[in-house]
Amino acid sequence: MARVYGLSGELSDNIYVFATLTAAGTSEAIEVQASMFTFQHVIVGASITYKEQGSLDGTNWYDLADAKTKGTGTFCEHYSGIMARYIRINATTLNSGHTLSTTVACT
């Protein structure tokens, strides 16, 4: 987690593309300096259940909202006023052959 995302005048410095998830579990965590987050999720395959998570210390994680279950498509989630030093994605249900690709913009 060497780079910190958010609060930059350069938009590209505020956007991060997570590694595509192909099985249930968590993505890599990134360090952020922001309070507004927009997540774009691209789902390929059947229904996937996922949630966006934040942490103040990179060890203890909390959900930014309730888990979502979505089928194939592109979906956007926006959060404002969130206090988190680190963020990640947690796919709780993701079957073989299906993928979850997430990009986040933070300011």
Side-chain angles (χ1 to χ4, degrees):
M1 290 185 269
R3 183 171 175 192
V4 179
Y5 294 86
L7 296 181
S8 172
E10 292 294 322
L11 183 58
S12 62
D13 290 337
N14 298 328
I15 297 175
Y16 181 79
V17 179
F18 288 92
T20 298
L21 294 175
T22 58
T26 59
S27 70
E28 69 274 25
I30 62 167
E31 188 172 3
V32 295
Q33 186 176 6
S35 62
M36 295 186 343
F37 303 95
T38 299
F39 294 87
Q40 175 183 282
H41 302 286
V42 178
I43 296 173
V44 175
S47 292
I48 293 174
T49 302
Y50 64 91
K51 49 191 169 182
E52 300 92 355
Q53 294 183 313
S55 174
L56 298 177
D57 59 10
T59 301
N60 300 293
W61 294 90
Y62 50 88
D63 300 338
L64 301 185
D66 292 338
K68 297 150 200 74
T69 300
K70 308 269 186 175
T72 296
T74 301
F75 307 94
C76 182
E77 306 290 340
H78 178 75
Y79 301 98
S80 181
I82 297 294
M83 180 58 70
R85 183 175 175 190
Y86 303 96
I87 58 172
R88 71 180 184 185
I89 307 304
N90 185 349
T92 56
T93 304
L94 199 161
N95 295 321
S96 177
H98 309 290
T99 61
L100 172 60
S101 302
T102 302
T103 301
V104 65
C106 40
T107 57

